[in-house]
Amino acid sequence: PEVSRRHSQLWRPGQPRKIMPWPWARSFINFHIRASHIRNTYRMPGTHGAGCGCLHEEDLSSQSQLLLPWIDIGAVRGFNEDVANSTARVFRPYHQRLDDNQLVDSTEGDEELLVSVPFTSPVKVTGITVIGGDNGRTPSSVKLYINREDLDFTSLEDVEPTQELDLVEDFHGALQHPVRAAKFQIVTHLSLFFPQSVGGDRTRIHWIGIWGIGSEHKRQAVVTVYESIGNAKDNEVKDDIMPTQDAA
């Protein structure tokens, strides 16, 4: 039968064959060759930035909303930050995530960094994205605490985190680390504790994306602002509504 003839033409170890496998297999091989080339060419620590070859919006698979409009940026705090009031810089629109000049460092010789994020109205959190520093300064994990505005280093050890996530070096902001949705249904405050980096002498963060669903009345207020400045086009409003790819 035709299927048997095709199957017999597939390459086996120790049998050098010049006959190509099925068309779908050729496409699969070509895809991995291209993917390997992209990783080897672009995904290099310390070179993330404009033109680095990272994923675009249309290349990312799942839909999620960036909760930046619901974050009270002026009230964001960082504990053990090297430069005072620098933590708020890492909360920016998605299209500005690759700005290497915006960052927060932990103090030299101390990798711990605690970030306190208040929201202007209750939100549902579904995922976290973190762009860390190069040379081993990317945080290796993050512990999340909800609705604990009083949390600091003195009380941190006495509180059980809502969830802990393992992080990887993601210099393009392409990975969304999902959280347990049932535990993050009504969030008015989120604390992110980064205990250590993957191998540096301090922790560095360039961008933090918090994904989820904002309250309807807050979303309506944001739309009203856009309309009041001349009905901005859809592609301008979409900066705050971004798709992203779940981390495996």
Side-chain angles (χ1 to χ4, degrees):
E2 180 65 22
V3 173
S4 298
R5 287 201 300 270
R6 287 187 176 183
H7 187 271
S8 66
Q9 293 175 352
L10 291 176
W11 178 85
R12 292 182 177 85
Q15 298 179 358
R17 305 288 291 272
K18 294 183 180 181
I19 301 175
M20 292 297 295
W22 294 336
W24 63 263
R26 289 200 300 271
S27 300
F28 180 79
I29 293 172
N30 291 336
F31 169 79
H32 279 276
I33 291 174
R34 290 195 300 270
S36 176
H37 170 73
I38 291 173
R39 287 195 298 270
N40 294 336
T41 304
Y42 297 113
R43 193 175 177 81
M44 298 182 292
T47 61
H48 63 289
C52 69
C54 58
L55 297 176
H56 299 290
E57 296 178 43
E58 59 271 18
D59 298 324
L60 302 175
S61 57
S62 59
Q63 293 286 337
S64 191
Q65 184 176 27
L66 189 64
L67 293 176
L68 182 63
W70 286 267
I71 296 177
D72 187 355
I73 298 296
V76 169
R77 293 184 298 162
F79 298 85
N80 197 39
E81 57 185 5
D82 190 49
V83 177
N85 303 318
S86 59
T87 300
R89 301 174 187 173
V90 304
F91 295 96
R92 308 185 301 277
Y94 186 83
H95 69 275
Q96 297 178 11
R97 71 195 185 284
L98 301 179
D99 185 354
D100 288 346
N101 296 317
Q102 303 297 325
L103 57 91
V104 58
D105 275 329
S106 63
T107 56
E108 188 173 0
D110 188 347
E111 303 168 69
E112 292 186 331
L113 188 64
L114 177 61
V115 178
S116 175
V117 183
F119 295 96
T120 56
S121 61
V123 299
K124 175 182 177 181
V125 177
T126 59
I128 304 291
T129 300
V130 178
I131 299 180
D134 57 1
N135 297 321
R137 295 180 177 181
T138 293
S140 61
S141 64
V142 59
K143 296 181 180 181
L144 306 175
Y145 304 80
I146 66 169
N147 304 335
R148 288 300 303 262
E149 299 184 25
D150 59 332
L151 204 62
D152 56 24
F153 283 118
T154 60
S155 58
L156 198 59
E157 296 181 357
D158 300 325
V159 180
E160 188 74 17
T162 308
Q163 186 173 349
E164 182 172 3
L165 300 171
D166 291 326
L167 303 177
V168 297
E169 290 184 322
D170 173 22
F171 299 112
H172 305 148
L175 299 179
Q176 182 184 135
H177 300 270
V179 301
R180 301 188 193 100
K183 294 189 175 184
F184 294 83
Q185 291 287 336
I186 303 176
V187 181
T188 58
H189 187 278
L190 181 65
S191 294
L192 303 92
F193 174 50
F194 302 93
Q196 61 184 14
S197 61
V198 298
D201 58 347
R202 62 169 58 177
T203 294
R204 171 172 293 179
I205 297 175
H206 288 281
W207 187 77
I208 296 176
I210 303 176
W211 307 88
I213 301 173
S215 60
E216 288 299 322
H217 80 274
K218 177 62 180 179
R219 182 172 175 79
Q220 181 62 41
V222 174
V223 172
T224 301
V225 171
Y226 286 147
E227 292 176 348
S228 68
I229 59 176
N231 291 323
K233 295 180 180 179
D234 289 343
N235 62 345
E236 295 174 343
V237 176
K238 288 179 181 177
D239 288 339
D240 293 329
I241 304 177
M242 311 291 297
T244 191
Q245 174 180 324
D246 285 348

